[in-house]
Amino acid sequence: MNKKTVWGTAAVVLVAGYGAATWYMGERARSSYQEAMNDMGKLLGPEVLVSQQYTKGFWSSQGKLVLQWTPPASEDEQDASGATATAAAQPAIRFTVENTVRHGPLAGWRPAAAVVETRLIAVEGADDPVRKTFAKVSAPTLTTVRHLTGSHDFALALPAGEVGEGEELVRWQSLAYRMKVNAGASRVHGDFDWPEFTMDLADKSEDDDRPAAAPAQRLAFALQGMKGEFKVQLEDGLWLLAPGSGKGTIGKLAITRAAGAAPGVAPAAPEPMVALRDLSYGVTIARNGAHLGWVTTMQGKGSVGPVALESLELNETVSRIDVEAVKLVQKALLDAYKTDPSTAVAAVEAPWIASLMDAVPKFVAALPAYAMKLLAKVDGEQGELEYGAELKRVPDATQIAEGAWGPALLNSSAVHASMRLPKAWLPRLAQAAGQQAPKPEDINALVDMAEAQGYIKQEAAHLTSAVRMEDGKVVLNGKAADLPFGRK
């Protein structure tokens, strides 16, 4: 057999082998796709997943599904007594989603069992206001890679866009979100980056204090330079809270307020409320037997109002969260999602309410605890604020049955708070509150009076205070007093 014959035979075998592998992986892709559709149908319900079809090809296949969402009844559909009236049927909005499945072993020119590109290609039933609101929004694209080992990669790309009209706008730059899931679907890790997200809204919090003709104040919220990464260990059916960790950075967080301008009048310069920068954060969720807990940290600098912060640090700890209670909350969330408001029974009889009520005693029996510590440095002086609470024992069942939740929780809990404040901050705090900076002699008089009444203590250049409530009593800077609803 000459070389040409050998090479020709090898090429035929190679092509035939690749074709067989492609056919086999195409069958596997169709089977996996159908399993995913079955799982989606169980999760969303038949009223949401209206239809789905799959057209298999040799090199690639096409899947198409139609999802339906019915908007809830508007809030003004109530009778004269204020009770919710029977809502008229709302027009359903249908979304058509297309999946392009490329078969392996070279799927989309990469070694993989299959590559799926998912795109929203049509929206039907939306009225003109909705279409106008979302006119500048492009649908995201989800790319799923099923590796030959059984693991998966997911990449979500959301193009830049904006939602809203007039002066009420939400804008964002393109978002990239990537995630990897191992073959056993027990470990997840990923990362994301989002260059910018902004909101411009009307501040209606003070509308009642202004004349009807006065223009509304404006609030602007901006996040810039957001990046993060995470890893999660999925176990025991937990997905709402699962052991893992995450960290990230935010280049800038800003909140500004501006007075509304009348027609033809130039708007006033925005007033900065919060301007933080170079923020970094981290969170770690750990499981200890039947309990979950997590620790959150954040560091940065910037300003709050007129007060410049040389540094800002936050530490938050939550502990003893019952795993079974978390599972019941997960179930309640899914049940609430599946509940049809137009056909549901009374709210207190809804299945998701029952799950939440079953979660409460488990949550309480674990004796959860919370603690927070905030540190800030201004003009070279550092201040500290701490507070927290924990259940020391299960609340009295008789008080709970009588509806006396407040006294029952206080009698069973320990609540604490403390501060360490530089005295030099007092003029700045007064200015931040919009008041004139008090004179030194006035400050000394106020501090002396507060100390004489036992509210604070003076320690050199700092003011301190600590309070703790436990067993129906409050201890303020070492002095105890009974609460009016303390233990009997």
Side-chain angles (χ1 to χ4, degrees):
M1 184 179 294
N2 59 34
K3 291 184 178 180
K4 289 184 178 180
T5 302
V6 171
W7 284 109
T9 302
V12 170
V13 171
L14 180 62
V15 170
Y18 183 84
T22 299
W23 176 86
Y24 172 74
M25 292 185 182
E27 288 295 316
R28 288 285 304 276
R30 178 170 63 178
S31 176
S32 298
Y33 184 91
Q34 190 57 53
E35 289 177 6
M37 290 300 102
N38 291 340
D39 291 341
M40 180 182 294
K42 293 176 182 178
L43 176 63
L44 301 180
E47 68 280 358
V48 176
L49 181 57
V50 177
S51 66
Q52 63 96 7
Q53 62 185 50
Y54 190 86
T55 305
K56 184 180 179 300
F58 187 79
W59 304 107
S60 64
S61 302
Q62 293 289 327
K64 185 178 293 186
L65 59 146
V66 178
L67 304 174
Q68 180 173 279
W69 176 69
T70 302
S74 59
E75 294 182 359
D76 57 357
E77 291 184 16
Q78 298 179 341
D79 59 27
S81 66
T84 302
T86 302
Q90 298 293 308
I93 300 176
R94 291 197 171 194
F95 304 88
T96 302
V97 179
E98 183 180 72
N99 294 300
T100 300
V101 184
R102 294 183 175 86
H103 308 156
L106 286 177
W109 300 107
R110 71 184 88 181
V115 174
V116 183
E117 291 185 0
T118 302
R119 297 178 300 274
L120 177 67
I121 61 174
V123 178
E124 302 174 11
D127 56 23
D128 289 338
V130 171
R131 283 195 293 268
K132 184 178 179 181
T133 299
F134 291 90
K136 297 183 179 180
V137 176
S138 299
T141 299
L142 175 65
T143 302
T144 305
V145 179
R146 177 182 173 86
H147 292 285
L148 298 170
T149 59
S151 61
H152 289 78
D153 290 353
F154 300 89
L156 176 69
L158 174 65
E162 67 178 50
V163 172
E165 57 182 338
E167 296 181 340
E168 302 263 332
L169 289 176
V170 177
R171 301 183 182 90
W172 61 88
Q173 294 185 11
S174 57
L175 164 68
Y177 185 96
R178 297 162 288 268
M179 184 172 68
K180 296 178 181 291
V181 183
N182 71 331
S186 60
R187 294 189 304 273
V188 179
H189 69 276
D191 62 271
F192 68 91
D193 56 83
W194 205 356
E196 186 173 65
F197 174 86
T198 63
M199 288 193 302
D200 296 302
L201 305 169
D203 180 10
K204 301 179 180 180
S205 60
E206 300 180 3
D207 280 353
D208 294 339
D209 300 328
R210 293 196 303 269
Q217 296 191 43
R218 312 295 309 164
L219 277 179
F221 174 83
L223 279 171
Q224 296 178 346
M226 291 174 285
K227 294 184 178 181
E229 58 185 70
F230 60 91
K231 56 182 178 181
V232 177
Q233 182 75 31
L234 299 176
E235 59 182 43
D236 204 16
L238 293 171
W239 50 265
L240 184 64
L241 283 175
S245 62
K247 62 181 180 179
T249 58
I250 300 175
K252 180 182 177 182
L253 185 158
I255 302 175
T256 59
R257 179 174 57 192
V265 178
E271 172 192 353
M273 300 174 63
V274 176
L276 303 179
R277 64 185 186 279
D278 302 331
L279 294 170
S280 62
Y281 67 88
V283 59
T284 300
I285 303 175
R287 180 172 180 175
N288 182 11
H291 297 151
L292 287 165
W294 62 90
V295 176
T296 304
T297 62
M298 186 188 72
Q299 300 85 32
K301 54 187 175 182
S303 63
V304 176
V307 180
L309 302 174
E310 298 168 20
S311 66
L312 179 68
E313 182 177 343
L314 172 71
N315 295 277
E316 187 180 52
T317 302
V318 178
S319 54
R320 300 196 298 269
I321 303 300
D322 185 81
V323 168
E324 296 303 318
V326 173
K327 291 181 181 179
L328 287 169
V329 172
Q330 291 179 170
K331 183 178 184 302
L333 291 174
L334 293 176
D335 289 342
Y337 170 77
K338 295 178 180 180
T339 300
D340 184 354
S342 64
T343 59
V345 293
V348 294
E349 300 177 10
W352 64 273
I353 292 293
S355 295
L356 284 182
M357 295 306 296
D358 289 342
V360 170
K362 295 181 180 295
F363 176 81
V364 171
L367 306 181
Y370 171 84
M372 192 282 291
K373 184 175 184 179
L374 180 66
L375 302 94
K377 183 177 288 186
V378 177
D379 295 335
E381 299 276 358
Q382 180 167 288
E384 300 178 9
L385 172 65
E386 293 187 62
Y387 60 85
E390 64 175 318
L391 272 177
K392 305 291 288 186
R393 54 190 166 272
V394 176
D396 182 80
T398 302
Q399 287 184 301
I400 295 297
E402 295 173 352
W405 275 90
L409 288 174
L410 280 176
N411 287 332
S412 306
S413 305
V415 181
H416 66 88
S418 64
M419 73 163 191
R420 191 175 192 289
L421 183 71
K423 190 175 178 180
W425 282 16
L426 296 181
R428 281 189 170 274
L429 293 176
Q431 290 175 324
Q435 301 175 3
Q436 186 177 0
K439 298 177 181 180
E441 55 269 27
D442 294 335
I443 291 177
N444 291 333
L446 288 172
V447 168
D448 290 342
M449 181 175 63
E451 184 176 25
Q453 294 177 345
Y455 293 121
I456 63 172
K457 290 183 178 181
Q458 294 193 62
E459 298 179 359
H462 289 79
L463 307 176
T464 66
S465 184
V467 62
R468 183 177 182 87
M469 290 186 291
E470 187 173 2
D471 291 331
K473 296 181 179 180
V474 58
V475 177
L476 174 62
N477 295 323
K479 296 182 178 181
D482 288 334
L483 288 172
F485 39 77
R487 295 185 71 193
K488 298 180 180 180

